[in-house]
Amino acid sequence: MPVTNLRFEVTWSYPYPIATEGSGTALTVCLRQNDPYLAFLTQTSYDDEVLYLHTFDGTEAYRHASPLGYETISDMAYDPFRQVIWCCQATNEPEIILAFDPETGLLTDTRVATPSPTMTSPHGLACNGFFFVRGGGNTAELWGTNGLLLGTREYQGRGITGISASPWSYCFCDKYMDEIVVIGPLGNEIAIGSGIGAAGGMEAIAFDYVNYIHMDDIPQIWGPNGTVGDPGTIHHPDTPWNPTPWAGRHRIYIANEIDQTIYAGYLTQN
């Protein structure tokens, strides 16, 4: 099956709320108090803090410290069933996948998931409620949420820095090739999109797995403070997105560490 060529269509962007020192930015879209937020975390000179940003303009609504003893989180993945945020770590206990409550920030669960020999360091984690996909280097692993390893796949020449779940697929950042890669449920590459921002800077990716079933009610670009605009404008949900999103309305957020920017957009076919 041929691989589809895509590009990332930017709808808006906002600067990092906390400057990065080193590598280790994580993103996920989650529910908090029944409202969707973009959870943001990055490595700094002090312990990680998780910030909850309004998805439409990036303003901060809440923050809390990462769970005590887990200060090297390298990616986050929202579990839509359990309504927790699962995390992987790059250096401190990379065999642990942990979960915290986005309402309180408290640790709620852990799984022991020893990385594969070909995985140099876990840098990406996705969860669709049924499975984890964890990535690092050129390797992706499929885990049951019960902590059972189901399979591994190597992608020669790639460097996975962030993964996110999307319906019937997953997407990951390859910051070394400056590409966004969509993989099917069996791990095969089904589409490749252009990167965004400064070359070599894509560190984290988050598909809006919270709102995707309501995308017909979401405009291509929000109005001020997340409002819906007049009919016939791009700020109204009845106006078709232009260009047309590929395989559904993919609202995706990508963090680029070099230019310290979070980009909101979606994938469209070339």
Side-chain angles (χ1 to χ4, degrees):
M1 184 175 178
V3 176
T4 303
N5 291 317
L6 307 174
R7 63 184 175 85
F8 187 76
E9 180 76 16
V10 178
T11 49
W12 64 83
S13 64
Y14 29 80
Y16 270 27
I18 296 177
T20 297
E21 295 181 12
S23 179
T25 302
L27 294 176
T28 193
V29 178
C30 66
L31 281 177
R32 187 176 186 279
Q33 297 181 346
N34 277 331
D35 286 328
Y37 288 96
L38 181 65
F40 170 92
L41 178 152
T42 193
Q43 291 291 317
T44 64
S45 58
Y46 47 88
D47 290 351
D48 295 331
E49 285 189 313
V50 182
L51 279 64
Y52 295 85
L53 312 175
H54 291 289
T55 54
F56 48 83
D57 66 359
T59 57
E60 181 183 338
Y62 180 71
R63 71 168 66 189
H64 62 72
S66 61
L68 185 64
Y70 298 100
E71 286 86 30
T72 60
I73 290 169
S74 53
D75 205 8
M76 302 187 294
Y78 183 65
D79 187 328
F81 297 158
R82 299 167 183 84
Q83 297 188 333
V84 297
I85 294 177
W86 293 96
C87 309
C88 63
Q89 296 192 106
T91 55
N92 179 30
E93 295 188 276
E95 73 279 4
I96 298 296
I97 297 176
L98 62 134
F100 64 82
D101 183 348
E103 304 290 343
T104 64
L106 297 177
L107 183 72
T108 62
D109 211 344
T110 60
R111 300 283 187 273
V112 176
T114 303
S116 306
T118 55
M119 181 174 293
T120 54
S121 180
H123 270 277
L125 187 70
C127 181
N128 61 9
F130 299 102
F131 306 105
F132 299 125
V133 174
R134 186 175 64 179
N138 68 357
T139 302
E141 304 165 330
L142 179 66
W143 295 82
T145 52
N146 60 356
L148 178 65
L149 178 63
L150 301 175
T152 62
R153 182 113 178 205
E154 292 182 41
Y155 300 88
Q156 295 302 319
R158 293 208 175 275
I160 300 171
T161 53
I163 303 180
S164 189
S166 54
W168 308 290
S169 65
Y170 300 88
C171 45
F172 68 77
C173 288
D174 179 350
K175 74 176 182 180
Y176 305 109
M177 297 290 289
D178 281 313
E179 291 179 334
I180 302 162
V181 182
V182 183
I183 57 176
L186 299 179
N188 54 308
E189 295 187 13
I190 59 177
I192 298 174
S194 58
I196 189 65
M202 289 194 304
E203 184 70 20
I205 185 169
F207 177 87
D208 189 345
Y209 208 72
V210 170
N211 287 316
Y212 83 93
I213 59 174
H214 305 294
M215 279 301 185
D216 288 341
D217 301 322
I218 294 175
Q220 181 172 348
I221 299 178
W222 289 107
N225 298 316
T227 57
V228 170
D230 294 331
T233 70
I234 59 174
H235 305 296
H236 195 278
D238 290 343
T239 303
W241 289 22
N242 185 25
T244 302
W246 172 78
R249 297 190 170 185
H250 282 215
R251 180 80 81 207
I252 294 173
Y253 299 86
I254 293 177
N256 187 296
E257 286 193 327
I258 293 178
D259 57 23
Q260 297 282 283
T261 300
I262 298 171
Y263 295 92
Y266 61 96
L267 295 170
T268 186
Q269 191 164 353
N270 285 329

